[in-house]
Amino acid sequence: GAVVSQHPSWVICKSGTSVKIECRSLDFQATTMFWYRQFPKQSLMLMATSNEGSKATYEQGVEKDKFLINHASLTLSTLTVTSAHPEDSSFYICSARDLLAGVEQFFGPGTRLTVL
Amino acid sequence: KNEVEQSPQNLTAQEGEFITINCSYSVGISALHWLQQHPGGGIVSLFMLSSGKKKHGRLIATINIQEKHSSLHITASHPRDSAVYICAANTGNQFYFGTGTSLTVIP
């Protein structure tokens, strides 16, 4: 099956710094990538949808200036958490939609962010 | 009311038991996904269903489109099956996630 990778798998940073998380589709072209956030004991929540070459669409309540998403190629999307604060500590997961596979999404393994 | 409801929320089983996790959804779907999330947080996509039944090894997923219900079955459960299992309804434009079922299989 299709593989999606994320890097890093975990990151610890100081409050006020910015953190970049990469999401890559390894063996397929992903026209659309999705970013999710999961707080402990809660379900996945969609943050934004990014289409290659265009601006991301953010869900209500997600600050686009704080969570910068770039989808510059068909195999790479990045999420940058700017000026991170402890409340941004969460598990961030991306998924990618294969152009040829229709509606199926393939999930990355996730990135655990801890902001001290 | 959530668009996707899972039951049970927590499940403890003895090794070897047959396990069933249920998922009901209220939205129109193009596909229903079952995901497995390991204690470290990593997610694995187990099944994508739009009708009928699928089987991978000891895992079986079924869906009843008319009743808007899906089940995930694990036969001969093993401690390594311990994880959170998440049901997700894919409308084609959006995913709706269940809150997950935390499964613990005791040796």
Side-chain angles (χ1 to χ4, degrees), chain A residues 36 38 43 91 97 103 105 109, chain B residues 37 41-42 48 90 92 95 97-98:
Chain A
Y36 299 89
Q38 185 185 36
S43 186
F91 192 61
R97 177 180 291 175
V103 299
Q105 290 186 25
Chain B
Q37 186 171 30
M48 183 182 79
N90 182 355
F95 266 64
F97 293 92

Side-chain angles (χ1 to χ4, degrees), chain B residues 63-99:
Chain B
I63 189 168
N64 185 316
I65 298 294
Q66 286 73 29
E67 295 185 3
K68 295 193 171 183
H69 181 269
S70 177
S71 293
L72 176 68
H73 305 286
I74 304 176
T75 61
S77 60
H78 190 276
R80 63 176 175 266
D81 297 326
S82 298
V84 174
Y85 293 83
I86 302 168
C87 170
N90 182 355
T91 66
N93 296 318
Q94 187 172 351
F95 266 64
Y96 293 93
F97 293 92
T99 53

Side-chain angles (χ1 to χ4, degrees), chain A residues 9-101:
Chain A
S9 56
W10 60 270
V11 57
I12 301 172
C13 70
K14 291 183 179 179
S15 186
T17 61
S18 294
V19 175
K20 180 183 284 188
I21 302 170
E22 293 185 349
C23 176
R24 292 182 185 272
S25 58
L26 298 186
D27 52 1
F28 66 97
Q29 292 186 325
T31 54
T32 307
M33 286 186 171
F34 306 84
W35 287 95
Y36 299 89
R37 181 167 54 182
Q38 185 185 36
F39 292 107
K41 305 290 185 183
Q42 295 186 25
S43 186
L44 295 167
M45 297 294 294
L46 180 65
M47 298 176 66
T49 301
S50 79
N51 293 298
E52 184 265 338
S54 62
K55 290 184 179 180
T57 301
Y58 290 80
E59 296 298 301
Q60 193 171 12
V62 178
E63 300 174 60
K64 62 180 181 181
D65 294 329
K66 181 168 183 63
F67 299 99
L68 302 178
I69 291 173
N70 183 279
H71 191 168
S73 77
L74 284 170
T75 60
L76 174 65
S77 176
T78 60
L79 167 67
T80 301
V81 183
T82 62
S83 186
H85 288 279
E87 56 265 31
D88 299 323
S89 298
S90 186
F91 192 61
Y92 293 88
I93 302 160
C94 74
S95 69
R97 177 180 291 175
D98 186 338
L99 177 67
L100 299 178

